[in-house]
Amino acid sequence: MKKAILLAGALTVAMAALTACGGTGKAEPETTAEAATKAQTVTIAAAASLETCLRDELIPLFEKQNPGITIEGTYDSSGKLQTQIEEGAGIDVFFSAAAKQMDALNEKGMIQDGSVRNLLENKIVFIVPTGDEGNYSSFEDIAKAENAALGDPDSVPAGQYSKEALTNLGLWDEVLAKASLGTNVTEVLNWVAEGSAKAGIVYATDAAQTGKVTIVAEAPEGSVKKAIYPAGIIKDCENPEGAQKFIDFLASSEAMDIFVKNGFAAAE
């Protein structure tokens, strides 16, 4: 008798549990609100010169303000990132250090219409290892250095700007003859910082990241066009809404204050 009572009680509990689950044993469909709050990942491909301020400050701030979105970043020369995107890399947002790479993707129909925004401006500067700056006084004095480090102008925007400035100053061939070409601007910075290169050309924001290099001079006005950083959404990306939220955040006054603190200027 006791066994029968216990069995009946167990069946009652089991039936109540099934009723609470809808009576079918199947999970109820997600509500719209539940689906909207599901975690999503936005993948960005950003120029190497943006890595520090994005990784250390801007991405953590955005993720704190948007708990349903995680940002994953890959950083390299804009030319390399352009190639990766052309080859089908799963990227949502491209943040380039020059218009050239963004324009090339746009011309191939790979950028979402109307999504490109010119966000930042940077400066091109001549740097030397700290302690050596007394030997130089102008941008043109890079030609006096024993050797130099430059970004590869075939793929690195900083290298393209370097070539433009030095060509306009009549110094490109002379400097190139004793230059090592880096695959991105961070590599150029590191060569000068460690002293393996006696001079280099990088962005002002890169030089500000370490006390191991000193800026001798900015590229003379008129010798090089402005270094503009555009951001855009890749067409047919997996997370267009999250990508748009991130670009809107990057253009906000809050984010711009952080960029400016890191040596960038807002694009005009």
Side-chain angles (χ1 to χ4, degrees), residues 37-40 42 58-71 241-242 244-246 248-250 254:
T37 57
K38 285 182 66 176
Q40 61 173 299
V42 173
L58 288 163
I59 289 175
L61 178 59
F62 176 82
E63 290 178 340
K64 182 179 180 180
Q65 295 176 356
N66 298 270
I69 304 176
T70 298
I71 304 294
E241 291 183 6
Q244 186 62 61
K245 281 186 178 181
F246 188 58
D248 289 344
F249 166 76
L250 294 176
E254 184 178 27

Side-chain angles (χ1 to χ4, degrees), residues 219-236:
E221 187 174 353
S223 66
V224 62
K225 62 179 175 289
K226 290 182 178 180
I228 300 297
Y229 285 53
I233 300 172
I234 304 303
K235 186 174 286 187
D236 301 325

Side-chain angles (χ1 to χ4, degrees), residues 32-249:
T32 302
E34 288 170 339
T37 57
K38 285 182 66 176
Q40 61 173 299
T41 298
V42 173
T43 303
I44 66 166
S49 52
L50 291 162
E51 181 173 4
T52 298
C53 64
L54 285 175
R55 182 196 61 213
D56 296 348
E57 298 186 74
L58 288 163
I59 289 175
L61 178 59
F62 176 82
E63 290 178 340
K64 182 179 180 180
Q65 295 176 356
N66 298 270
I69 304 176
T70 298
I71 304 294
E72 289 187 356
T74 180
Y75 307 93
D76 211 322
S77 72
S78 298
K80 282 188 177 181
L81 297 174
Q82 174 196 338
T83 299
Q84 291 172 18
I85 292 168
E86 289 172 339
E87 292 175 349
I91 301 298
D92 297 303
V93 173
F94 181 38
F95 198 172
S96 176
K100 178 181 178 181
Q101 290 74 24
M102 187 69 74
D103 290 345
L105 291 175
N106 217 349
E107 289 170 3
K108 293 183 178 182
M110 301 186 74
I111 301 296
Q112 189 179 106
D113 292 344
S115 70
V116 177
R117 299 179 71 167
N118 291 334
L119 294 177
L120 306 174
E121 181 181 343
N122 213 335
K123 301 292 185 183
I124 304 301
V125 296
F126 162 34
I127 62 170
V128 297
T130 296
D132 290 353
E133 59 271 18
N135 298 320
Y136 309 94
S137 61
S138 69
F139 189 88
E140 292 88 335
D141 281 348
I142 190 173
K144 298 178 181 178
E146 177 184 339
N147 56 44
L150 306 171
D152 186 342
D154 288 339
S155 60
V156 182
Q160 293 157 12
Y161 293 127
S162 300
K163 181 177 180 179
E164 180 183 354
L166 292 172
T167 297
N168 288 331
L169 295 169
L171 298 172
W172 172 245
D173 291 337
E174 182 180 355
V175 175
L176 179 63
K178 53 185 176 183
S180 297
L181 301 181
T183 58
N184 58 54
V185 72
T186 302
E187 188 171 35
V188 174
L189 177 70
N190 290 338
W191 285 343
V192 180
E194 67 191 20
S196 60
K198 302 302 182 183
I201 298 178
V202 297
Y203 296 116
T205 51
D206 297 302
Q209 293 176 21
T210 174
K212 294 182 178 180
V213 305
T214 296
I215 295 174
V216 174
E218 292 183 7
E221 187 174 353
S223 66
V224 62
K225 62 179 175 289
K226 290 182 178 180
I228 300 297
Y229 285 53
I233 300 172
I234 304 303
K235 186 174 286 187
D236 301 325
C237 71
E238 292 186 6
N239 297 295
E241 291 183 6
Q244 186 62 61
K245 281 186 178 181
F246 188 58
I247 289 183
D248 289 344
F249 166 76

